[in-house]
């Protein structure tokens, strides 16, 4: 099995220096929990007062429509994606319990004042049903699909393919993988590892299998721990069983993969020998690294596919970057760098304004879009 971060193709060194330029703020944005970016615009969601509020914006931040979702007693959305038609899929939790509390002090109380006693809603019901909401690009709720009540779950990622939806999350004792058909038929949950493993990214394939990425400090798929905590690249079949596991190979290191693309470009964090870095690695479909680069950092954030084989990465840089002029942060500061297909840095966008990034995407004809709690940005 190929070791990570070993490649015959050096990455990062630019053939000539490029100047870091400031990313452009397009518009402010409302506080939100998650985002989906499509060719048609930006969709954000937030949770408030037992409702989910979904808002669609164009790329200039102008509101197109707003949809409140309140079909269950209680609901919360946690992750979003889109399909090829531009529909938005939200994954979250609902409670189907609709119980009212009544107090009977006596079987036949005397109501001398003729007061009408209203039913008092119960306290917030347990959110124990994984639920999918399908919303059209025009803002109509097309479908709501829920699994049978099981247990609360912290959903960390969702992925769409032509054969269905895959969701990963945490129920406190390992990563949970749940799949659903596009008509809302859920599979039984599959648990991967224990609490010593966590996966933050999933990319679903058309046959229902998927790639998952994260970190682990336990044996997975027969592969033993190498460092203190290893970055993990894994494949699961359509039943959720692990079929391939590749671990990072650095001894005494703490590693994790934070974000991944369908083209096998990953960004993650490396802590070893007192140094904190971000790793940027392009793999092939067998998880063999094609090129890689590490830079001093206080955390990788997001990775996306660009045009013509390029990739973008957003991370919190803590030092100058070889081949990039005009960049020498005195503290951890966000920056977006663009790699060409060979791993050469071809653009650098100063992103100190970008606080709490929630999504990033490259849209043909529009360019790079970054969403954070502070606004919509374009590069």
């Amino acid at each position: 099995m190929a070791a990570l971060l070993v490649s015959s193709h050096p990455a990062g060194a630019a053939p000539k220096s490029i100047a870091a330029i400031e990313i452009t703020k397009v518009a402010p944005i409302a506080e939100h929990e998650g985002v989906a970016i499509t060719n048609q615009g930006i969709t954000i969601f937030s949770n408030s007062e037992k409702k989910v509020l979904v808002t669609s914006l164009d790329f200039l931040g102008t509101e197109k429509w707003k949809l409140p979702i309140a079909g269950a007693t209680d609901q919360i959305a946690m992750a979003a994606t889109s399909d090829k038609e531009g529909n938005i899929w939200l994954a979250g939790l609902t409670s189907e319990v609709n119980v009212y509390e009544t107090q009977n002090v006596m079987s036949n109380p005397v109501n001398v004042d003729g007061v009408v006693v209203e039913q008092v809603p119960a306290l917030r019901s347990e959110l124990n049903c994984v639920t999918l909401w399908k919303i059209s690009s025009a803002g109509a709720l097309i479908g709501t699909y829920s699994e049978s009540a099981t247990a609360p779950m912290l959903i960390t990622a969702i992925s769409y393919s032509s054969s269905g939806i895959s969701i990963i999350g945490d129920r406190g004792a390992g990563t949970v993988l749940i799949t659903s058909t596009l008509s809302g038929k859920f599979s039984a949950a599959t648990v991967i590892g224990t609490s010593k493993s966590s996966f933050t990214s999933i990319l679903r394939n058309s046959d229902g299998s998927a790639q998952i990425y994260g970190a682990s400090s336990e044996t997975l798929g027969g592969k033993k721990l190498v460092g203190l905590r290893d970055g993990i690249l894994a494949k699961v079949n359509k039943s959720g069983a692990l079929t391939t596991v590749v671990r990072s190979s650095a001894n005494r290191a703490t590693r994790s993969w934070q974000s991944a693309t369908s083209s096998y470009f990953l960004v993650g964090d490396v802590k070893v020998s007192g140094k904190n870095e971000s790793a940027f690695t392009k793999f092939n479909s067998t998880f063999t690294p094609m090129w890689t680069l590490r830079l001093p950092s206080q955390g990788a954030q997001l990775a996306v596919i660009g045009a013509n084989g390029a990739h973008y990465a957003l991370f919190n840089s803590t030092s100058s970057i070889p081949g990039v002029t005009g960049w020498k942060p005195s503290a951890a500061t966000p920056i977006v760098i663009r790699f060409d297909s060979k791993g050469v840095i071809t653009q650098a966008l100063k992103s100190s304004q970008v606080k709490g990034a929630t999504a990033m995407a490259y849209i043909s004809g529009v360019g790079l879009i970054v969403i954070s709690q502070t606004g919509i940005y374009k590069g």
Side-chain angles (χ1 to χ4, degrees):
M1 192 64 65
L4 302 191
L5 301 176
V6 177
S7 174
S8 59
H9 302 286
K16 59 180 181 179
S17 294
I18 59 170
I21 60 175
E22 198 72 35
I23 199 168
T24 301
K25 185 173 183 177
V26 175
I29 198 168
E31 185 176 347
H32 56 278
E33 271 83 43
V35 187
I37 305 174
T38 72
N39 293 333
Q40 301 176 44
I42 301 159
T43 303
I44 62 174
F45 68 85
S46 59
N47 301 299
S48 178
E49 298 179 352
K50 301 184 181 182
K51 298 178 182 178
V52 177
L53 181 62
V54 186
T55 305
S56 177
L57 311 167
D58 66 19
F59 292 114
L60 297 177
T62 302
E63 183 178 308
K64 300 196 301 185
W65 52 258
K66 186 172 288 185
L67 174 68
I69 300 175
T73 304
D74 201 354
Q75 49 260 303
I76 183 172
M78 297 183 183
T81 190
S82 61
D83 61 26
K84 58 185 178 181
E85 285 82 29
N87 300 309
I88 303 300
W89 291 81
L90 298 182
L93 301 176
T94 59
S95 173
E96 295 180 344
V97 178
N98 191 7
V99 178
Y100 291 93
E101 293 180 348
T102 58
Q103 295 183 5
N104 295 315
V105 177
M106 59 184 72
S107 58
N108 295 295
V110 178
N111 188 353
V112 295
D113 297 316
V115 175
V116 177
V117 181
E118 296 182 357
Q119 291 178 314
V120 179
L123 297 176
R124 187 163 191 170
S125 304
E126 186 175 28
L127 295 162
N128 55 8
C129 299
V130 172
T131 296
L132 291 169
W133 293 277
K134 182 181 180 182
I135 303 165
S136 75
S137 59
L141 180 60
I142 299 174
T144 301
Y145 313 109
S146 296
E147 68 161 356
S148 300
T150 50
M153 172 175 166
L154 177 63
I155 295 172
T156 54
I158 179 175
S159 183
Y160 162 90
S161 78
S162 58
S163 61
I165 300 288
S166 293
I167 300 166
I168 55 173
D170 184 8
R171 281 183 170 145
T175 294
V176 176
L177 170 64
I178 297 175
T179 65
S180 171
T181 65
L182 298 180
S183 59
K185 183 179 180 181
F186 285 84
S187 68
T190 301
V191 179
I192 302 172
T194 70
S195 59
K196 294 181 179 180
S197 298
S198 63
F199 292 90
T200 55
S201 296
I202 184 168
L203 282 304
R204 180 185 171 99
N205 304 312
S206 59
D207 64 356
S209 64
Q211 290 74 244
I212 58 175
Y213 306 101
S216 178
S217 57
E218 64 181 327
T219 299
L220 282 176
K223 306 297 181 181
K224 295 182 178 180
L225 181 66
V226 176
L228 300 177
R229 186 171 177 85
D230 299 337
I232 300 291
L233 302 89
K235 297 183 181 183
V236 295
N237 61 24
K238 63 181 181 180
S239 299
L242 286 170
T243 58
T244 302
V245 174
V246 174
R247 310 185 75 107
S248 54
S249 58
N251 293 323
R252 298 180 300 280
T254 299
R255 296 288 313 270
S256 63
W257 294 113
Q258 299 295 330
S259 183
T261 70
S262 59
S263 58
Y264 302 95
F265 173 65
L266 277 69
V267 299
D269 297 327
V270 184
K271 295 181 180 180
V272 62
S273 301
K275 296 190 300 181
N276 294 321
E277 297 177 315
S278 285
F280 314 89
T281 307
K282 176 66 173 68
F283 297 89
N284 65 15
S285 60
T286 63
F287 292 157
T288 301
M290 308 307 292
W291 54 260
T292 190
L293 175 69
R294 286 187 190 177
L295 294 172
S297 166
Q298 286 294 335
Q301 296 188 49
L302 297 168
V304 297
I305 301 172
N308 303 315
H311 293 89
Y312 293 87
L314 171 63
F315 72 108
N316 297 316
S317 174
T318 57
S319 76
S320 58
I321 299 173
V324 176
T325 62
W327 181 255
K328 194 173 182 179
S330 58
T333 307
I335 187 171
V336 177
I337 52 177
R338 182 181 66 198
F339 297 95
D340 69 10
S341 60
K342 296 181 179 179
V344 174
I345 296 175
T346 57
Q347 185 182 36
L349 297 169
K350 301 177 183 179
S351 306
S352 59
Q353 309 171 70
V354 180
K355 307 294 185 183
T358 50
M360 183 167 72
Y362 179 85
I363 304 296
S364 179
V366 178
L368 181 73
I369 298 294
V370 182
I371 310 298
S372 83
Q373 298 294 350
T374 56
I376 301 170
Y377 300 87
K378 184 177 181 296

